[in-house]
Amino acid sequence: MDDVKAYYVTTPIYYVNDAPHLGHAYTTVASDVLARWHRQRGERVWFLTGTDEHGQKILRTAEANGVTPQDWADRLVDESWRPLWEHLEISNDDFIRTTQQRHTDRVQEFVQDLYDKGEIYKGGYEGPYCVHCEEYKLPGELIDGEGEFAGQKLCAIHRKPVEILSEENYFFKLSEYGDKLLAHYAAHPDFIQPESARNEVVNFVRQGLQDLSISRSTFDWGVPVPWDPQHVIYVWVDALLNYATAVGYNENQEKFEATFPADVHLVGKDILRFHAVIWPAMLMAQGLPLPGKIAANGWLMVGGEKMSKSNLTGIKPQDLTSHFGVDAYRWYFLRAIAFGQDGSFSWEDFTARYTSELANDYGNLASRVAAMVGRYFDGALPEATADGEAEQAIREGLVKAVTEADHRIGDALDFQGGILAVFDFVKQVNGYLTEQEPWKVAKDPSPEARARLATILCTAAESLRAVAVLLNPLMPETSRKLWDSLGAEPSLGALADQRVQEAAEWGKLPAGSTITKGAVLFPRLEEKPTA
Ligand code: MSP
């Protein structure tokens, strides 16, 4: 095993009560782009996703469908979750399921250890519980129901009635960790992103934390509490531990030390507190290191509400990929919405951006350059011998794009800013071709004009070489096509081995490279399918 700790990225592990929707895919694609970006920096990366399979929500869904919860989870994982991630080219290194023994054994050990250390005690609790959040709510977090729910208190996130639960169960002394957590947030200003998420958590913790009920005794779909098997471990404690159990906690010390803790946990803002309050407190109680960053993404909205399985208006990720293609899908949400902010999806917006930014700006640039090298130089990249100011400006533009994209995507998780930096460069190269008019230069047979023409097309091809590298983490299929069309592999090697931070080094694509027209990167869209 490598001595250097891996760059460790996680998605939330998703509930298997239903198939994945656009919201789940949003966080997963963002995590994938981050993981791929760091791999292309040359780092050793560990990228984890998986499924959260215990708890009342899954149990009730399985019961309603007349199957056991395990059968239900198996079916959903095999038929819906894994296939979608494969379809979207998600490059996870592992897939953890909370019903796997490698997880459940370690969860029991972790909780037993906390019990032995005196961090857990038995107590009673009564309060409003949202099964969709799998969380007890405070009275201030509820809203008044209207219409069919008039007179009832609703969860503000799910807009569904809460239930009053009264149980005797085990409690983790979370209230003792408030000051330590606040000190950690103060010492690590980047621990929670974005700023608005950080402020929300800090304010919440400042108000004082209650101890956390970590077991349930009214149903049994969960990991048994080791010292009192009448109880199962609270599904959130079980779930959060996946980030440790999947990388060898208490099992493979070498792997654990080479991976844990996560550098970034990507989560939706709905589950921020679990990750930024409860999870770090659990780790502190156990003397384990805390993650580097909790990055909260905003919500994809429909009609002013968080997109969920009940208000999806029937659009599945596959409906969009079959129309726009997988790469455009991976690009769209990260391009259109500032990461951390809420955003909504519309066919019109996706179509307009696809046509102008992907097909016209990027796709046309690639096909024009390949066509001209074919026409004027028989498809063999010529030598650039007549560099001038215009070429210098392109080289400078590329350096800027690489620096910006590397910082924004790789460090700041500003996917939109990073994508824009690359696409601004694409625009700059298009502008360069428009100004240099190689199709006119080609009409002049003089040696000087031939040298200019060669230089212009080399500059454009070299720019595309860099764009293929920079966009590979985001749009791997398109980058593969472009890499092929540029004939880059024989001289430069595999695309995945190209370092993003070295993408601005100029003159990499050698003269003589075989440029072919290749597949169209972004085909014209068919008519929008009717529902
Ligand atoms: N099982 C828990 C997570 C446990 S992690 C230790 C859970 N699962 S979930 O299936 O409900 O997935 C929630 C996550 O899916 C959100 O945190 C977010 O990352 C993503 N999204 C679900 N709906 C979303 C939107 N409408 N918009 C953006 N992201 C959303 O919570």
Side-chain angles (χ1 to χ4, degrees):
M1 182 115 344
D2 219 307
D3 281 351
V4 185
K5 186 189 148 329
Y7 183 81
Y8 178 25
V9 186
T10 69
T11 73
I13 52 169
Y14 302 102
Y15 289 127
V16 287
N17 56 314
D18 205 350
H21 62 59
L22 298 179
H24 304 123
Y26 178 54
T27 310
T28 305
V29 168
S31 311
D32 185 58
V33 172
L34 186 64
R36 285 173 180 265
W37 193 273
H38 280 261
R39 285 196 199 105
Q40 267 193 254
R41 277 185 179 175
E43 296 169 24
R44 195 166 66 80
V45 168
W46 195 256
F47 172 27
L48 177 70
T49 190
T51 43
D52 189 353
E53 306 186 1
H54 290 131
Q56 227 161 336
K57 176 156 143 156
I58 312 293
L59 180 63
R60 285 186 188 173
T61 311
E63 279 169 352
N65 285 276
V67 294
T68 67
Q70 188 66 65
D71 283 348
W72 178 260
D74 289 349
R75 189 198 300 172
L76 264 284
V77 168
D78 290 343
E79 293 175 10
S80 300
W81 289 85
R82 285 184 190 274
L84 180 65
W85 298 156
E86 226 165 89
H87 176 61
L88 295 178
E89 292 212 46
I90 302 304
S91 64
N92 52 299
D93 296 292
D94 194 2
F95 188 106
I96 183 134
R97 302 181 52 182
T98 55
T99 51
Q100 290 167 334
Q101 201 182 342
R102 63 165 170 160
H103 174 75
T104 54
D105 283 357
R106 303 290 94 75
V107 168
Q108 287 191 316
E109 289 160 14
F110 187 101
V111 173
Q112 177 75 54
D113 221 20
L114 284 189
Y115 187 60
D116 295 344
K117 285 180 172 145
E119 294 280 346
I120 290 174
Y121 64 92
K122 198 169 192 178
Y125 193 78
E126 179 172 298
Y129 191 83
C130 171
V131 176
H132 305 278
C133 291
E134 291 279 16
E135 185 185 21
Y136 276 110
K137 297 287 171 181
L138 297 172
E141 295 174 322
L142 303 177
I143 56 173
D144 289 321
E146 291 168 7
E148 61 172 317
F149 299 132
Q152 300 184 64
K153 291 287 182 190
L154 309 186
C155 161
I157 296 176
H158 291 95
R159 292 166 195 268
K160 299 255 177 63
V162 290
E163 302 167 24
I164 302 299
L165 291 193
S166 163
E167 274 190 73
E168 170 142 283
N169 34 40
Y170 290 96
F171 285 80
F172 166 53
K173 294 179 179 167
L174 182 64
S175 60
E176 293 185 358
Y177 287 88
D179 290 343
K180 290 182 200 136
L181 287 166
L182 289 170
H184 188 80
Y185 306 148
H188 301 87
D190 289 340
F191 182 63
I192 304 167
Q193 275 189 2
E195 182 84 23
S196 53
R198 178 190 149 82
N199 293 341
E200 186 211 304
V201 169
V202 170
N203 288 337
F204 175 75
V205 175
R206 277 204 189 123
Q207 285 165 22
L209 295 172
Q210 299 191 345
D211 287 346
L212 177 74
S213 155
I214 58 130
S215 71
R216 296 282 180 275
S217 55
T218 50
F219 64 95
D220 65 358
W221 181 235
V223 181
V225 170
W227 63 91
D228 187 351
Q230 295 308 308
H231 293 246
V232 292
I233 294 168
Y234 174 39
V235 62
W236 266 103
V237 169
D238 169 357
L240 287 163
L241 283 169
N242 91 88
Y243 303 130
T245 61
V247 294
Y249 169 73
N250 247 11
E251 190 185 17
N252 180 341
Q253 193 58 19
E254 204 185 342
K255 178 171 179 178
F256 190 64
E257 282 173 11
T259 319
F260 197 84
D263 292 80
V264 185
H265 291 302
L266 280 103
V267 300
K269 64 179 183 180
D270 48 331
I271 59 173
L272 176 65
R273 284 187 202 165
F274 294 102
H275 285 81
V277 180
I278 297 175
W279 176 228
M282 285 165 63
L283 293 171
M284 284 174 174
Q286 200 62 278
L288 288 170
L290 305 199
K293 190 181 285 185
I294 315 293
N297 61 251
W299 286 340
L300 299 187
M301 310 284 283
V302 176
E305 272 183 47
K306 171 173 175 266
M307 191 177 273
S308 69
K309 75 167 189 185
S310 50
N311 68 5
L312 275 178
T313 58
I315 306 168
K316 297 199 293 289
Q318 293 87 337
D319 298 332
L320 296 184
T321 59
S322 64
H323 185 67
F324 294 99
V326 168
D327 273 10
Y329 178 90
R330 290 173 56 99
W331 163 86
Y332 172 73
F333 294 97
L334 296 178
R335 157 66 186 92
I337 304 167
F339 205 67
Q341 309 293 311
D342 294 344
S344 19
F345 158 79
S346 84
W347 281 95
E348 292 69 25
D349 184 57
F350 198 161
T351 306
R353 288 182 192 279
Y354 177 99
T355 304
S356 82
E357 297 175 35
L358 294 185
N360 292 351
D361 287 352
Y362 181 22
N364 275 353
L365 175 65
S367 66
R368 279 204 292 170
V369 172
M372 287 191 280
V373 176
R375 193 171 319 133
Y376 306 134
F377 294 97
D378 285 332
L381 191 69
E383 197 119 28
T385 53
D387 259 16
E389 261 176 41
E391 288 71 33
Q392 178 65 26
I394 292 290
R395 286 200 292 270
E396 284 166 9
L398 178 58
V399 170
K400 185 165 158 248
V402 169
T403 313
E404 280 280 295
D406 193 28
H407 167 67
R408 289 186 185 270
I409 298 179
D411 301 325
L413 276 69
D414 171 11
F415 298 98
Q416 186 184 54
I419 294 168
L420 281 175
V422 181
F423 277 78
D424 280 349
F425 176 66
V426 167
K427 281 203 176 75
Q428 189 189 352
V429 180
N430 272 319
Y432 164 81
L433 285 183
T434 308
E435 274 169 27
Q436 301 302 320
E437 301 183 306
W439 45 90
K440 282 197 184 152
V441 180
K443 291 187 180 141
D444 179 347
S446 71
E448 296 76 38
R450 283 297 282 175
R452 264 315 288 161
L453 181 62
T455 301
I456 297 166
L457 294 182
C458 274
T459 303
E462 184 63 11
S463 301
L464 283 169
R465 188 265 316 148
V467 169
V469 172
L470 293 173
L471 292 181
N472 191 38
L474 180 68
M475 297 196 277
E477 190 189 341
T478 312
S479 281
R480 277 196 298 271
K481 286 183 187 162
L482 185 52
W483 203 244
D484 282 350
S485 142
L486 292 170
E489 180 124 359
S491 50
L492 299 182
L495 183 54
D497 296 337
Q498 313 299 312
R499 299 278 171 268
V500 280
Q501 67 275 34
E502 293 165 11
E505 284 173 17
W506 196 254
K508 287 196 165 182
L509 198 59
S513 297
T514 308
I515 313 270
T516 48
K517 190 115 179 35
V520 175
L521 298 188
F522 301 101
R524 185 183 294 275
L525 296 175
E526 307 284 317
E527 285 288 290
K528 174 186 163 190
T530 42

